[in-house]
Amino acid sequence: MAPVVAAAQKHPGIDAHVCVTGQHRQMLDETMKVFGLSADSDLNIMKTNQTLTDITVGSLLGLQETLARWKPDWLLVQGDTTSAFAAALGAFYGRVKVGHVEAGLRTGDKTQPWPEEANRRLVSVVADRHYAPTEQARQNLLREGIPESDVSVTGNTVIDALLSISARLDQEPALRAELDSRFGWMRDDRKLVLVTGHRRESFGQGFHNICEALKQLAQRPDVQIVYPVHLNPNVRGPVFELLSGLDNVRLIEPVDYVSLVYLLKRCRFALTDSGGIQEEAPSLAKPVLVMRETSERMEAVDAGVAKLVGTDPARIVKEASRLLDDAKAYAAMSSGANPFGDGNAAQRIIEDLLS
């Protein structure tokens, strides 16, 4: 949402306010700082081991007060988180128009990913404007009965954010030098594999399988695995239990967005269950192995820049080894076109709102 906020705040015809739920405080504060944002309202709903019900109720109650104070014409929400769904529902209850950024992503299975697939479908029911990142996302919405006049294909704002940070890394030697120093333990003589994993549907056996695959890959002397480990205890438990102490596996704390882009630029490929990285990595010509059985971003799979590998250790190791050893296979996945946007999505969204 950062590019949308920036575009809105620059426009004299818009009085833009930022509301955050306050989840994962450290990661939130770091990201806000990177993009020069401050919160006008902080719901501060985070509590230990909170449930999806806690998030929904906390967001609804907090937003009710915020909407009553601001009386906005529009509320913009992004993506498919539970807080995005709750915010959209709260705006609907308050008779505030809803604009859905990154609308129309679908897997067709409400349990994959869980609960995101249901969240984004529910947001679509109450949204007044649908900002689809791709034509395929637009078609998904039209099939569900959303009026064509309410849907606009904008590209994805995550590409706006990614390209702006990537440009800074290329153009600011001091910033690049700072990151080179911060990650000075990375070895240039090893192929870097960037891992991110946090999906709820993989809690339990899924994460044990992922860690088993990483243990097998770590036996290769030519590989270095870097895994910024999500703060959720359901992730950290098995990851640290099974992967701590391996020589060429580096488990680090969650990184700010600038550091994430830096790692993406340096890695050979990404192994992830993240939706955003399925878009970000191909934009930097990095292949993506998706540790899920389904994806709402099949455009990347269709373009040949991403591949679904699930959480089966044998599948993960096989496809990762292929990208490490087969130059032609790597070239085929790293040279595909990015189908998710050109970096101007935020401006299109603001122009659409004003019209």
Side-chain angles (χ1 to χ4, degrees):
M1 281 293 275
V4 180
V5 175
Q9 290 179 336
K10 290 176 183 176
H11 200 287
I14 296 178
D15 182 17
H17 295 254
V18 176
C19 177
V20 299
T21 59
Q23 294 164 254
H24 302 304
R25 176 63 60 187
Q26 180 181 352
M27 291 190 288
L28 169 65
D29 290 347
E30 289 174 348
T31 303
M32 297 283 277
K33 182 179 179 181
V34 164
F35 290 101
L37 299 178
S38 59
D40 301 289
S41 178
D42 188 334
L43 306 186
N44 195 30
I45 68 169
M46 188 68 179
K47 59 184 181 181
T48 304
N49 290 325
Q50 65 183 354
T51 66
L52 294 174
T53 301
D54 293 328
I55 296 171
T56 303
V57 172
S59 298
L60 279 170
L61 290 174
L63 194 66
Q64 179 176 256
E65 179 184 337
T66 299
L67 294 178
R69 183 168 73 251
W70 290 345
K71 297 180 175 61
D73 298 294
W74 286 88
L75 177 76
L76 298 183
V77 299
Q78 186 271 340
D80 48 27
T81 61
T82 299
S83 50
F85 157 61
L89 182 62
F92 174 71
Y93 286 164
R95 294 190 177 272
V96 175
K97 291 182 179 179
V98 175
H100 187 197
V101 178
E102 197 183 65
L105 278 63
R106 299 290 187 269
T107 65
D109 179 349
K110 66 182 179 182
T111 67
Q112 296 284 338
W114 184 86
E116 288 85 356
E117 175 75 2
N119 285 339
R120 54 190 172 225
R121 291 196 214 177
L122 292 166
V123 174
S124 295
V125 173
V126 300
D128 298 277
R129 297 295 297 162
H130 307 258
Y131 298 114
T134 65
E135 177 60 26
Q136 184 169 317
R138 186 181 85 96
Q139 291 298 327
N140 290 339
L141 292 165
L142 298 183
R143 281 192 295 270
E144 294 174 4
I146 304 297
E148 187 173 2
S149 59
D150 292 346
V151 183
S152 176
V153 177
T154 61
N156 201 318
T157 58
V158 73
I159 305 304
D160 298 25
L162 173 78
L163 295 180
S164 68
I165 298 300
S166 179
R168 284 184 58 193
L169 288 171
D170 292 339
Q171 297 165 10
E172 299 179 22
L175 176 61
R176 180 76 185 213
E178 176 192 337
L179 289 161
D180 286 341
S181 175
R182 187 186 310 171
F183 295 100
W185 42 263
M186 291 199 300
R187 294 180 52 170
D188 291 332
D189 62 338
R190 291 181 176 177
K191 298 170 182 176
L192 177 64
V193 177
L194 176 63
V195 179
T196 71
H198 66 278
R199 288 290 183 186
R200 288 175 180 266
E201 66 265 26
S202 295
F203 288 176
Q205 189 61 48
F207 269 103
H208 281 270
N209 290 346
I210 289 169
C211 292
E212 179 58 36
L214 296 178
K215 284 178 67 175
Q216 292 182 41
L217 285 173
Q219 294 175 14
R220 295 180 53 132
D222 62 336
V223 167
Q224 182 170 39
I225 296 169
V226 177
Y227 189 167
V229 186
H230 197 276
L231 296 176
N232 192 306
N234 293 291
V235 177
R236 296 175 77 84
V239 169
F240 279 97
E241 176 186 346
L242 298 172
L243 298 178
S244 292
L246 297 180
D247 287 343
N248 49 354
V249 176
R250 192 83 174 209
L251 304 178
I252 63 177
E253 292 302 301
V255 294
D256 61 78
Y257 192 63
V258 174
S259 298
L260 176 65
V261 177
Y262 171 86
L263 291 172
L264 279 171
K265 289 168 76 76
R266 284 197 60 170
C267 76
R268 182 167 177 84
F269 64 88
L271 188 58
T272 187
D273 62 11
S274 165
I277 288 181
Q278 292 177 58
E279 299 179 345
E280 292 160 323
S283 300
L284 299 174
K286 306 294 182 175
V288 187
L289 298 180
V290 184
M291 297 183 293
R292 290 163 53 183
E293 298 297 338
T294 61
S295 176
E296 62 289 311
R297 293 168 172 85
M298 289 303 292
E299 295 94 334
V301 177
D302 295 340
V305 296
K307 181 173 289 189
L308 298 174
V309 296
T311 59
D312 176 65
R315 285 171 65 191
I316 294 173
V317 171
K318 176 183 176 182
E319 294 300 335
S321 299
R322 189 163 162 266
L323 288 175
L324 292 167
D325 299 328
D326 188 334
K328 288 185 178 179
Y330 182 84
M333 287 192 71
S334 62
S335 60
N338 166 37
F340 296 109
D342 58 5
N344 296 305
Q347 189 58 42
R348 293 188 185 101
I349 290 168
I350 297 304
E351 291 172 358
D352 181 87
L353 275 179
L354 290 170
S355 66

